[in-house]
Amino acid sequence: MQWQSQATDALGVGDAVLHSAASVEIAVIDTGADVAAPTLAAKRPLTYNAVTRTTNVTDTNGHGTLVASIAAGAADASGVAGAGGDARLLIVKASTASGDISTRAETAAIRYAVTHGARIINLSFAGPTTSAAERAAITFAIKRGALVIAAAGNAHDQGNPVEYPAALLQPVGSSGRGGAGLVVGASDVDGKRAPFSASGSWLSLAAPGVSIAGALSSAVPVSAFPRLASATTGLFGYGSGTSFAAPQVAGAAALVWGVNPRLTATQVARILEQTASGRGAWTPDLGYGVIDVAAAVALAAQA
């Protein structure tokens, strides 16, 4: 059901590590979330709507609910659990009802998340352009010590364009060198680049991105996402895309930070890169490879 747990060796992480992540807050900046979904309700997430400036983050799109649950949803009777163990969640809605995220809302959301304690910022959206405001918000987050993680985008078959905010984190031409955050591509069940996933010199690493299970918003139609028929509590289903690969990296980063709170955001990023399946070798298809959660946690504990 959650094949990604085996693909990333997340099953090799013990309970003590999962519990240690409670000291880390992940901000999911997206279309909001159904905070009544059991796997999210158990986390009692903080919420903020960057468009209306209220705490109402009702998710009528569904994307944000799925992303948040993949990042750090609590283990539930249905057997679906997020990647971040006991990491805390801050849900920041930055979209209109249609799911569009404006630059103004995005930048306000990033600044809000950072100033309200988020150490990890998950940005599961991408587009072909950037702006001075977006660049300033990303710089603000990085200077305040946050680890910013962005989806690489799903337009490989539409010309494979450079996408933002991803390319602000791992610059074009860097080929994995340096970078101020992590750009996440999607892998398939064979550990190869998913056909839709962006590739290129601005990719950092990868995580599973095909048929990833998570919570669904009760505010979206049944047709919005394929549903998990065996779920006994709440609504669960599947999504494919780099949007659903990125939160797995966010969750893994929370586990790494949980076992070693002394690490900087840059050090957490490098540990995830060094321990990924490429074992230090970078390629344009998968960056440093698919994350290896157990190996990253082990290396962090020794640092």
Side-chain angles (χ1 to χ4, degrees):
M1 184 166 57
Q2 284 188 290
W3 66 271
Q4 68 268 24
S5 297
Q6 183 173 358
T8 62
D9 200 15
L11 300 177
V13 172
D15 288 345
V17 172
L18 300 178
H19 297 326
S20 71
S23 62
V24 183
E25 182 177 88
I26 301 173
V28 175
I29 297 175
D30 215 288
T31 63
D34 182 352
V35 294
T39 187
L40 296 180
K43 287 296 187 78
R44 298 182 179 180
L46 299 176
T47 62
Y48 180 69
N49 188 320
V51 177
T52 63
R53 300 182 184 179
T54 66
T55 58
N56 183 355
V57 294
T58 300
D59 183 15
T60 56
N61 177 277
H63 189 274
T65 300
L66 189 53
V67 169
S69 68
I70 292 168
D76 151 285
S78 297
V80 178
D86 289 349
R88 293 174 287 116
L89 276 170
L90 170 59
I91 307 296
V92 186
K93 182 171 181 174
S95 75
T96 60
S98 65
D100 294 329
I101 296 177
S102 69
T103 297
R104 182 176 180 180
E106 175 199 349
T107 56
I110 291 172
R111 290 178 181 274
Y112 181 91
V114 173
T115 56
H116 286 78
R119 299 193 75 183
I120 300 167
I121 311 290
N122 188 88
L123 306 175
S124 283
F125 49 86
T129 61
T130 186
S131 67
E134 183 177 59
R135 292 192 294 272
I138 293 293
T139 298
F140 174 80
I142 292 166
K143 286 186 175 180
R144 293 290 291 266
L147 175 58
V148 185
I149 297 169
N154 305 324
H156 189 274
D157 293 340
Q158 288 79 51
N160 194 37
V162 172
E163 303 221 38
Y164 298 90
L168 300 178
L169 304 175
Q170 190 73 56
V172 175
S174 62
S175 298
R177 296 182 298 273
L182 291 172
V183 177
V184 185
S187 58
D188 63 15
V189 293
D190 296 319
K192 298 179 180 179
R193 180 183 61 79
F196 54 78
S197 181
S199 65
S201 61
W202 48 285
L203 192 69
S204 302
L205 40 64
V210 178
S211 297
I212 305 302
L216 300 182
S217 172
S218 60
V220 300
V222 174
S223 59
F225 294 93
R227 296 206 171 190
L228 176 62
S230 62
T232 55
T233 59
L235 300 174
F236 291 88
Y238 299 94
S240 295
T242 59
S243 283
F244 310 117
Q248 294 173 61
V249 177
L255 299 183
V256 168
W257 238 330
V259 298
N260 191 342
R262 299 181 304 277
L263 296 172
T264 65
T266 299
Q267 289 171 327
V268 172
R270 298 298 168 261
I271 284 172
L272 289 167
E273 291 173 341
Q274 291 166 19
T275 55
S277 62
R279 294 298 186 263
W282 182 92
T283 69
D285 270 359
L286 293 174
Y288 284 103
V290 179
I291 57 168
D292 185 325
V293 180
V297 166
L299 182 58
Q302 299 168 7

